[in-house]
């Protein structure tokens, strides 16, 4: 289906070309207004209101219930090496002060978070480092049960993008796969972890397993799976050129 393929293609385009959007030329560090910071630094990939664009949807109460302020601060500061998500913290060569990153996280929480009715289900763990370790063999069975009908397998094409494609998997982190497996993309037609099969809610272990299997489908020798075991353990991984500001 054409429409469903869009996000994948958009993400491929991003990693190929677009770098970090630039802030204003004058005194950019003085800006602490959330909307200005977000539109100058984030909107190109996450959409002006955090809902559209090739990057994950951030303006989503379920996502904001899942990820803590600390989780979000961490990824904004350090980025996701190996993906288009740039590091914004000074210590990582970025352009935003701690205060500005704090203002962005505050703004997302204040303007976009809402109480979420979990309907009796337990919210799974966000971070892959805290979640139970995944098992790829079990994960394949989970994929067949919970994902294949939309994302396809082998010669069977689903209505949604081929997330088992190694070229796609090379561009996304395990954390992104986990986040999406939990919160879904209801705006794109992907239900959250509770609502894919009637009466079947995926648990933490199921989600870890399916992520482990997807990670095992990355191109051979590709290191992201290991390096993404926590948001901080990427010391050996160099950032792709697309994350660098062009030198002038
Ligand atoms: C009811 C259909 C449906 C089911 C079931 C489903 N998805 Fe999706 N998923 C979608 C649609 C539609 C999209 C929108 C983007 C696309 O087509 O790739 C999507 C997007 C995604 C994306 C983001 C793709 C991108 O562009 O970055 C990931 C990752 C993903 N799904 C993982 C999963 C996993 C893992 C499962 C099983 C645990 C699953 N999905 C089950 C329909 C589904
Ligand atoms: C060049 C594109 C790009 C820009 C600019 C960008 N992001 Fe991202 N962002 C991404 C992509 C792609 C991901 C998913 C990366 C992955 O983990 O695979 C992401 C992931 C994230 C996540 C984590 C989602 C999760 O998995 O929990 C947060 C939070 C986030 N971005 C916030 C921001 C904020 C805030 C800004 C601006 C200060 C910003 N991003 C700027 C592309 C971008």
């Amino acid at each position: 289906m054409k429409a469903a393929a869009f996000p994948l293609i958009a993400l491929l385009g991003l990693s190929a070309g677009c770098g970090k959007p630039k802030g204003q030329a004058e005194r950019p560090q003085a800006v602490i207004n959330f909307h200005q910071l977000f539109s100058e630094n984030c909107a190109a990939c996450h959409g002006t209101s955090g809902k559209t664009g090739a990057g994950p949807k951030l303006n989503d109460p379920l996502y904001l219930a899942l990820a803590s302020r600390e989780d979000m601060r961490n990824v904004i500061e350090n980025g996701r090496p190996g993906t288009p998500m740039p590091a914004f913290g000074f210590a990582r060569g970025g352009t935003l002060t701690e205060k500005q990153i704090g203002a962005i996280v505050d703004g997302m929480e204040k303007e976009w978070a809402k109480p979420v009715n979990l309907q009796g289900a337990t919210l799974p763990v966000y971070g892959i480092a805290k979640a139970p370790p995944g098992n790829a063999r079990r994960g394949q069975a989970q994929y067949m049960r919970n994902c294949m009908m939309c994302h396809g397998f082998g010669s069977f094409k689903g209505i949604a993008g081929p997330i088992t494609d190694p070229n796609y998997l090379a561009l996304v982190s395990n954390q992104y796969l986990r986040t999406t497996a939990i919160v879904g993309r209801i705006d794109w037609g992907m239900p959250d972890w509770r609502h894919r099969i009637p009466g079947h809610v995926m648990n933490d272990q199921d989600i870890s397993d399916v992520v482990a299997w997807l990670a095992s489908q990355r191109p051979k020798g590709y290191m992201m799976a290991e390096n993404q075991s926590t948001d901080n353990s990427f010391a050996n991984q160099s950032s792709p050129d697309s994350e660098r500001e062009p030198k002038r």
Side-chain angles (χ1 to χ4, degrees):
M1 208 197 234
K2 286 234 162 53
F6 165 70
L8 289 172
I9 290 164
L11 195 54
L12 288 166
L14 267 182
S15 76
C18 139
K20 190 183 304 177
K22 280 186 219 46
Q24 281 183 326
E26 287 159 70
R27 301 269 312 131
Q29 287 149 29
V31 177
I32 50 153
N33 174 276
F34 167 59
H35 293 285
Q36 189 178 345
L37 287 171
F38 197 87
S39 68
E40 284 173 2
N41 297 283
C42 323
C45 300
H46 293 281
T48 323
S49 60
K51 286 185 175 178
T52 52
K57 185 177 169 189
L58 304 172
N59 184 348
D60 174 7
L62 188 54
Y63 172 69
L64 291 165
L66 178 73
S68 70
R69 302 168 70 91
E70 216 26 59
D71 292 328
M72 293 192 290
R73 175 176 264 289
N74 187 16
V75 58
I76 298 166
E77 231 164 68
N78 300 313
R80 289 263 167 81
T83 81
M85 173 66 192
F88 287 91
F90 276 138
R92 296 271 175 204
T95 52
L96 297 180
T97 63
E98 269 186 38
K99 198 173 165 195
Q100 288 175 312
I101 294 175
I104 292 173
V105 174
D106 284 349
M108 294 192 336
E109 288 284 348
K110 197 165 140 236
E111 309 224 354
W112 299 340
K114 286 193 205 101
V116 174
N117 181 357
L118 295 175
Q119 297 155 322
T122 314
L123 200 55
V125 172
Y126 167 82
I128 46 175
K130 290 186 188 146
N135 172 297
R137 192 180 42 80
R138 284 197 311 254
Q140 179 166 15
Q142 287 296 336
Y143 180 86
M144 298 304 181
R145 186 172 182 200
N146 297 286
C147 321
M148 183 189 79
M149 66 280 207
C150 294
H151 288 287
F153 183 75
S155 58
F156 169 68
K157 302 273 174 270
I159 56 147
I163 56 169
T164 54
D165 181 337
N167 296 319
Y168 166 69
L169 288 167
L171 292 175
V172 296
S173 71
N174 289 357
Q175 181 61 60
Y176 174 66
L177 294 172
R178 181 174 182 88
T179 304
T180 311
I182 298 170
V183 301
R185 276 302 297 243
I186 215 67
D187 52 335
W188 290 346
M190 174 165 161
D192 68 43
W193 87 109
R194 298 163 297 181
H195 295 119
R196 287 180 203 125
I197 304 178
H200 173 70
V201 176
M202 289 181 83
N203 63 29
D204 264 321
Q205 187 65 60
D206 299 339
I207 295 163
S208 294
D209 291 346
V210 85
V211 170
W213 182 68
L214 288 170
S216 75
Q217 304 300 297
R218 288 208 178 95
K220 289 259 177 302
Y222 200 83
M223 290 304 289
M224 194 187 298
E226 290 79 5
N227 285 335
Q228 289 287 333
S229 63
T230 79
D231 267 348
N232 290 317
S233 65
F234 46 70
N236 304 325
Q237 194 175 12
S238 62
S239 304
D241 292 336
S242 64
E243 290 182 11
R244 300 272 176 244
E245 290 271 356
K247 300 261 177 306
R248 281 179 293 174

